[in-house]
PDB file of all heavy atoms in Angstrom:
ATOM      1  N   PRO A1071      14.245   2.643   5.901  1.00  0.00           N
ATOM      2  CA  PRO A1071      14.372   1.481   5.013  1.00  0.00           C
ATOM      3  C   PRO A1071      13.003   0.906   4.670  1.00  0.00           C
ATOM      4  O   PRO A1071      11.982   1.328   5.227  1.00  0.00           O
ATOM      5  CB  PRO A1071      15.201   0.499   5.842  1.00  0.00           C
ATOM      6  CG  PRO A1071      14.852   0.840   7.262  1.00  0.00           C
ATOM      7  CD  PRO A1071      14.664   2.342   7.277  1.00  0.00           C
ATOM      8  N   CYS A1072      12.979  -0.066   3.784  1.00  0.00           N
ATOM      9  CA  CYS A1072      11.737  -0.761   3.447  1.00  0.00           C
ATOM     10  C   CYS A1072      11.168  -1.408   4.712  1.00  0.00           C
ATOM     11  O   CYS A1072      11.895  -2.082   5.444  1.00  0.00           O
ATOM     12  CB  CYS A1072      12.019  -1.824   2.394  1.00  0.00           C
ATOM     13  SG  CYS A1072      10.636  -2.949   2.079  1.00  0.00           S
ATOM     14  N   PRO A1073       9.890  -1.242   4.995  1.00  0.00           N
ATOM     15  CA  PRO A1073       9.316  -1.835   6.211  1.00  0.00           C
ATOM     16  C   PRO A1073       9.432  -3.353   6.246  1.00  0.00           C
ATOM     17  O   PRO A1073       9.593  -3.941   7.311  1.00  0.00           O
ATOM     18  CB  PRO A1073       7.844  -1.408   6.159  1.00  0.00           C
ATOM     19  CG  PRO A1073       7.812  -0.230   5.250  1.00  0.00           C
ATOM     20  CD  PRO A1073       8.893  -0.452   4.253  1.00  0.00           C
ATOM     21  N   GLN A1074       9.351  -3.997   5.080  1.00  0.00           N
ATOM     22  CA  GLN A1074       9.333  -5.449   5.051  1.00  0.00           C
ATOM     23  C   GLN A1074      10.727  -6.051   5.178  1.00  0.00           C
ATOM     24  O   GLN A1074      10.981  -6.871   6.051  1.00  0.00           O
ATOM     25  CB  GLN A1074       8.673  -5.951   3.764  1.00  0.00           C
ATOM     26  CG  GLN A1074       8.593  -7.474   3.670  1.00  0.00           C
ATOM     27  CD  GLN A1074       7.782  -7.948   2.484  1.00  0.00           C
ATOM     28  OE1 GLN A1074       7.181  -7.159   1.767  1.00  0.00           O
ATOM     29  NE2 GLN A1074       7.733  -9.246   2.275  1.00  0.00           N
ATOM     30  N   CYS A1075      11.649  -5.642   4.298  1.00  0.00           N
ATOM     31  CA  CYS A1075      12.968  -6.289   4.266  1.00  0.00           C
ATOM     32  C   CYS A1075      14.047  -5.498   4.986  1.00  0.00           C
ATOM     33  O   CYS A1075      15.161  -5.995   5.170  1.00  0.00           O
ATOM     34  CB  CYS A1075      13.388  -6.549   2.821  1.00  0.00           C
ATOM     35  SG  CYS A1075      13.750  -5.039   1.883  1.00  0.00           S
ATOM     36  N   LEU A1076      13.754  -4.254   5.362  1.00  0.00           N
ATOM     37  CA  LEU A1076      14.680  -3.376   6.083  1.00  0.00           C
ATOM     38  C   LEU A1076      15.899  -2.983   5.259  1.00  0.00           C
ATOM     39  O   LEU A1076      16.917  -2.558   5.805  1.00  0.00           O
ATOM     40  CB  LEU A1076      15.110  -4.018   7.412  1.00  0.00           C
ATOM     41  CG  LEU A1076      13.964  -4.352   8.383  1.00  0.00           C
ATOM     42  CD1 LEU A1076      14.509  -5.013   9.636  1.00  0.00           C
ATOM     43  CD2 LEU A1076      13.161  -3.100   8.733  1.00  0.00           C
ATOM     44  N   ARG A1077      15.802  -3.106   3.935  1.00  0.00           N
ATOM     45  CA  ARG A1077      16.862  -2.649   3.044  1.00  0.00           C
ATOM     46  C   ARG A1077      16.580  -1.214   2.587  1.00  0.00           C
ATOM     47  O   ARG A1077      15.437  -0.758   2.642  1.00  0.00           O
ATOM     48  CB  ARG A1077      16.970  -3.574   1.824  1.00  0.00           C
ATOM     49  CG  ARG A1077      17.529  -4.959   2.146  1.00  0.00           C
ATOM     50  CD  ARG A1077      17.439  -5.850   0.915  1.00  0.00           C
ATOM     51  NE  ARG A1077      18.187  -7.087   1.044  1.00  0.00           N
ATOM     52  CZ  ARG A1077      17.745  -8.169   1.661  1.00  0.00           C
ATOM     53  NH1 ARG A1077      16.542  -8.163   2.210  1.00  0.00           N
ATOM     54  NH2 ARG A1077      18.488  -9.249   1.747  1.00  0.00           N
ATOM     55  N   PRO A1078      17.620  -0.500   2.111  1.00  0.00           N
ATOM     56  CA  PRO A1078      17.396   0.853   1.595  1.00  0.00           C
ATOM     57  C   PRO A1078      16.471   0.825   0.387  1.00  0.00           C
ATOM     58  O   PRO A1078      16.424  -0.158  -0.353  1.00  0.00           O
ATOM     59  CB  PRO A1078      18.810   1.320   1.191  1.00  0.00           C
ATOM     60  CG  PRO A1078      19.748   0.445   1.960  1.00  0.00           C
ATOM     61  CD  PRO A1078      19.057  -0.876   2.099  1.00  0.00           C
ATOM     62  N   VAL A1079      15.734   1.915   0.195  1.00  0.00           N
ATOM     63  CA  VAL A1079      14.836   2.029  -0.939  1.00  0.00           C
ATOM     64  C   VAL A1079      15.260   3.209  -1.807  1.00  0.00           C
ATOM     65  O   VAL A1079      15.961   4.111  -1.355  1.00  0.00           O
ATOM     66  CB  VAL A1079      13.364   2.218  -0.494  1.00  0.00           C
ATOM     67  CG1 VAL A1079      12.910   1.046   0.356  1.00  0.00           C
ATOM     68  CG2 VAL A1079      13.180   3.529   0.261  1.00  0.00           C
ATOM     69  N   ARG A1080      14.858   3.179  -3.058  1.00  0.00           N
ATOM     70  CA  ARG A1080      15.036   4.321  -3.956  1.00  0.00           C
ATOM     71  C   ARG A1080      13.928   5.317  -3.661  1.00  0.00           C
ATOM     72  O   ARG A1080      12.749   4.959  -3.639  1.00  0.00           O
ATOM     73  CB  ARG A1080      14.962   3.847  -5.411  1.00  0.00           C
ATOM     74  CG  ARG A1080      14.870   4.963  -6.477  1.00  0.00           C
ATOM     75  CD  ARG A1080      16.212   5.455  -6.905  1.00  0.00           C
ATOM     76  NE  ARG A1080      16.092   6.458  -7.971  1.00  0.00           N
ATOM     77  CZ  ARG A1080      16.143   6.197  -9.280  1.00  0.00           C
ATOM     78  NH1 ARG A1080      16.275   4.941  -9.710  1.00  0.00           N
ATOM     79  NH2 ARG A1080      16.059   7.180 -10.160  1.00  0.00           N
ATOM     80  N   GLU A1081      14.288   6.564  -3.447  1.00  0.00           N
ATOM     81  CA  GLU A1081      13.305   7.602  -3.172  1.00  0.00           C
ATOM     82  C   GLU A1081      13.373   8.693  -4.231  1.00  0.00           C
ATOM     83  O   GLU A1081      14.455   9.088  -4.656  1.00  0.00           O
ATOM     84  CB  GLU A1081      13.528   8.236  -1.795  1.00  0.00           C
ATOM     85  CG  GLU A1081      13.289   7.296  -0.629  1.00  0.00           C
ATOM     86  CD  GLU A1081      13.391   8.001   0.707  1.00  0.00           C
ATOM     87  OE1 GLU A1081      13.190   9.251   0.755  1.00  0.00           O
ATOM     88  OE2 GLU A1081      13.677   7.331   1.717  1.00  0.00           O
ATOM     89  N   VAL A1082      12.205   9.154  -4.643  1.00  0.00           N
ATOM     90  CA  VAL A1082      12.100  10.291  -5.553  1.00  0.00           C
ATOM     91  C   VAL A1082      11.199  11.318  -4.895  1.00  0.00           C
ATOM     92  O   VAL A1082       9.984  11.108  -4.779  1.00  0.00           O
ATOM     93  CB  VAL A1082      11.536   9.885  -6.924  1.00  0.00           C
ATOM     94  CG1 VAL A1082      11.434  11.110  -7.838  1.00  0.00           C
ATOM     95  CG2 VAL A1082      12.399   8.807  -7.572  1.00  0.00           C
ATOM     96  N   ALA A1083      11.789  12.398  -4.423  1.00  0.00           N
ATOM     97  CA  ALA A1083      11.014  13.470  -3.815  1.00  0.00           C
ATOM     98  C   ALA A1083      10.431  14.345  -4.917  1.00  0.00           C
ATOM     99  O   ALA A1083      11.128  14.745  -5.848  1.00  0.00           O
ATOM    100  CB  ALA A1083      11.897  14.298  -2.883  1.00  0.00           C
ATOM    101  N   MET A1084       9.134  14.626  -4.802  1.00  0.00           N
ATOM    102  CA  MET A1084       8.435  15.426  -5.806  1.00  0.00           C
ATOM    103  C   MET A1084       7.640  16.515  -5.103  1.00  0.00           C
ATOM    104  O   MET A1084       7.260  16.380  -3.942  1.00  0.00           O
ATOM    105  CB  MET A1084       7.479  14.545  -6.620  1.00  0.00           C
ATOM    106  CG  MET A1084       8.144  13.404  -7.352  1.00  0.00           C
ATOM    107  SD  MET A1084       6.915  12.260  -8.064  1.00  0.00           S
ATOM    108  CE  MET A1084       6.365  11.399  -6.584  1.00  0.00           C
TER     109      MET A1084
END
Side-chain angles (χ1 to χ4, degrees):
C1072 170
Q1074 181 173 355
C1075 69
L1076 301 178
R1077 290 173 168 82
V1079 301
R1080 169 87 177 267
E1081 294 186 24
V1082 180
M1084 301 171 285

